[in-house]
Amino acid sequence: MPNHEYDEHTHALEITDELTHNHSVTIPNHTHSVSIPSHTHNFSTPNHSHDVTIPDHTHDFTLPDHTHEIQHGIYKLNRTSSAVTIKVDGNTVPHTSTSGDNINLIPYLKQDSGGKVVRGWHSVEITPNDLGRITAQITTQFFIQSRGDGNY
C-alpha cells in the first residue's frame, strides 16, 4: 500500500432531514443518596370547625367506693319538681301533680281485716322527682260517739 501524505482539505456536507434520528438509552436500576439538612416548615390554619358524628356506643369505667359530705342549706334553684309520689302508710296515692286540694287519703290508710282504719300513728310521705320544697297541710276529722253509761 502506498504511503501518501494528505494535505489539509475539506469535504462539503449538506445536512438534510435525512439525518434526523433517535437514540435508545437504558439506565439500570440504581439509587441516589440525598442529604437534607435540619430545617423547619411554618404554616398556619385559619379558624375552622369539623362536624363529627359518633355512633351509639358505651364506655366502661370503675368508680371506687367513696362518700360525699352533705352540704346543708337552703338553695334557690332555676328548676322545680314536675311530679310527686305520695304514700300513706306505705300505699301509693294515684296523685302525682305538684299541687292539689282536698286529696282524700282515707282509702290509703292502714286498715284492719274488717276494713276499718287502724288506730294509732299513720305516715304520709311526699317525695318530689327533683330537689324542691314541700308545703303540705293535713286536716283530720274525728267523730266520737259515746257508748254506754260510763264516764269517758
Side-chain angles (χ1 to χ4, degrees), residues 1 17 24 33 38 44 46 49 51 54 56 73 102 109 151:
M1 203 154 118
D17 284 342
S24 218
S33 293
S38 293
S44 64
S49 63
D51 292 329
I54 300 174
D56 291 340
N102 301 321
L109 291 168
N151 293 326

Side-chain angles (χ1 to χ4, degrees), residues 62-133:
T62 302
L63 184 64
D65 289 341
H66 65 284
T67 59
H68 296 272
E69 294 295 323
I70 295 175
Q71 294 183 4
H72 299 281
I74 298 173
Y75 301 94
K76 185 172 182 175
L77 302 176
N78 59 359
R79 65 182 193 269
T80 59
S81 301
S82 61
V84 295
T85 300
I86 302 173
K87 288 186 178 183
V88 176
D89 289 339
N91 300 308
T92 302
V93 177
H95 179 91
T96 58
S97 174
T98 58
S99 64
D101 291 327
N102 301 321
I103 301 169
N104 185 4
L105 303 180
I106 293 173
Y108 306 98
L109 291 168
K110 186 174 180 179
Q111 299 174 1
D112 63 16
S113 60
K116 292 185 179 182
V117 174
V118 175
R119 293 179 185 217
W121 290 96
H122 298 278
S123 66
V124 177
E125 300 172 39
I126 304 172
T127 308
N129 66 347
D130 199 353
L131 294 176
R133 181 180 73 172

Side-chain angles (χ1 to χ4, degrees), residues 32-44:
H32 295 271
S33 293
V34 177
S35 176
I36 300 175
S38 293
H39 66 284
T40 60
H41 297 271
N42 293 323
F43 69 94
S44 64

